[in-house]
Amino acid sequence: MKKLIIFDLDGTLAESKAALDKEMAKLLVSLLKVAKVAIISGGDWPQFEKQVLSNLPEKGLLKNLSILPTCGTKYYQYKKSGWRKLYSEDFTADEEKEIIDKLNEAIDGSGVKPEKTWGEQIEDRGSQITFSALGQLAPLDAKKKWDPKFAKRKKIKSKLDRSLIGFSVQMGGATSIDITKPGIDKAYGIHKLEHTLGIKIKQMIFIGDALFEGGNDHPARKTGVDCIQVRDPEETKRVVEGMVLCLE
C-alpha cells in the first residue's frame, strides 16, 4: 500500500504555470485525506503559492503536503506557524555565472531561436537556473505549439551536456530547460522525503509527464520508486481517482 504520492506540477497537475482547476483541487484534497502528498517541480516557491496552495479549499490538510520547488533543490513543510523551508541547495556566484554563460553559448550555437518571446528567457531561481525558450510570460497556446516533442530543446541540451560539466541539465514543462547542481534533482528530493517523512521508497509512487530520458522527471526513476507516466492533467485526474478509491 502506497503511503506517499509524489507529483510533478506543470503538465501533470496543471497546465504550464496555470492554477489547479477545481476538479484537480478537489481530487488532491480527497487524496490528502488518505495519504501524504508531495509535489516536486521546476517552478520556484511563488509558483507553488499561485498554482497550488491558493487553490486548495481545505487548509487543515496541509500537514500532509510537502512542497519541493526547483526540481527538489528546496523543501518546504507545513507547521502550525506556516510553511517552513528545510533546505535550499543554492548556487555560488561563480556557478551562476558559468551556467548563464554556457547556456547563452548553447542557445546561440543550437540555431534554435523563436520568432517571438514574452519576458526574460533565463531565470535565476537561486538553486536552479531555468531557460524558458519563449520567455517567462509566454501564453500557454504558444508554448504548447513550440516544442511538443522536445526536439528543439534536445539540441540545446546536447550542447550543454558537453560544455557544462558537473551540473544536471534536464528538460521540463512546455518550453523549459532546468539546470541544478550535480545530483541535486528530483531523485535527491525523493530521498529527502524518504528520510524526513520516514517513508520507504517502495511505499511511494511518482507521477509525471516527463519521465523519459532527459526529462526533468526522469531522475525519479533512479531511486527505484514506482512511476506512472501521464500525458496531461486530465489523465492525472483519472489516476488520482483510482488511487483515492484504493486507499479509502
Side-chain angles (χ1 to χ4, degrees):
M1 187 66 73
K2 302 301 181 184
K3 294 184 177 180
L4 175 63
I5 317 301
I6 309 168
F7 295 94
D8 170 50
L9 178 52
D10 283 355
T12 301
L13 288 175
E15 298 288 1
S16 179
K17 293 193 176 179
L20 300 179
D21 65 28
K22 290 183 179 180
E23 183 183 8
M24 185 66 82
K26 185 177 179 180
L27 285 167
L28 274 183
V29 167
S30 296
L31 189 59
L32 284 164
K33 290 178 179 178
V34 294
K36 291 189 179 297
V37 173
I39 306 174
I40 307 180
S41 170
D44 207 350
W45 175 250
Q47 259 181 262
F48 279 91
E49 289 183 301
K50 180 181 177 181
Q51 289 182 256
V52 179
L53 301 177
S54 64
N55 297 285
L56 289 179
E58 295 190 33
K59 307 302 181 187
L61 296 170
L62 293 179
K63 65 182 186 297
N64 289 334
L65 178 62
S66 295
I67 300 292
L68 288 83
T70 53
C71 293
T73 62
K74 299 177 184 179
Y75 186 150
Y76 288 80
Q77 200 172 46
Y78 192 78
K79 302 294 183 182
K80 289 182 180 180
S81 57
W83 288 98
R84 183 166 63 93
K85 183 164 66 176
L86 301 189
Y87 70 81
S88 181
E89 302 288 354
D90 292 341
F91 293 121
T92 65
D94 287 343
E95 287 171 332
E96 289 173 350
K97 185 180 185 305
E98 179 185 2
I99 291 167
I100 291 172
D101 288 347
K102 297 294 186 183
L103 181 52
N104 280 317
E105 289 175 11
I107 294 165
D108 291 340
S110 69
V112 176
K113 190 172 183 179
E115 294 180 1
K116 183 178 180 180
T117 59
W118 292 261
E120 295 294 326
Q121 289 179 293
I122 298 176
E123 182 183 4
D124 185 347
R125 298 175 177 173
S127 58
Q128 174 181 292
I129 289 174
T130 296
F131 168 68
S132 298
L134 300 187
Q136 295 294 327
L137 305 176
L140 181 59
D141 286 348
K143 290 197 287 186
K144 281 186 171 183
K145 293 174 183 176
W146 187 74
D147 191 27
K149 296 184 178 180
F150 294 80
K152 295 176 181 177
R153 279 172 288 170
K154 283 180 180 178
K155 292 180 181 180
I156 299 171
K157 178 178 168 15
S158 66
K159 291 186 175 297
L160 286 171
D161 286 340
R162 294 192 296 270
S163 66
L164 195 57
I165 307 302
F167 294 92
S168 174
V169 182
Q170 307 289 345
M171 298 175 290
T175 64
S176 300
I177 294 175
D178 299 321
I179 301 169
T180 60
K181 287 187 176 183
I184 311 296
D185 51 23
K186 290 188 178 180
Y188 180 86
I190 288 170
H191 284 303
K192 283 289 188 179
L193 287 165
E194 179 185 21
H195 297 308
T196 302
L197 301 178
I199 297 175
K200 296 178 180 178
I201 294 290
K202 66 182 180 181
Q203 295 172 311
M204 305 177 185
I205 193 162
F206 181 90
I207 302 167
D209 70 317
L211 282 158
F212 52 84
E213 185 75 39
N216 69 357
D217 295 329
H218 186 263
R221 292 193 183 276
K222 295 186 296 185
T223 67
V225 69
D226 289 334
C227 295
I228 297 177
Q229 169 83 35
V230 293
R231 292 187 302 271
D232 52 33
E234 291 304 312
E235 187 170 16
T236 302
K237 290 175 184 177
R238 307 292 79 85
V239 172
V240 175
E241 284 176 340
M243 287 183 171
V244 171
L245 286 172
C246 290
L247 292 169
E248 282 180 336

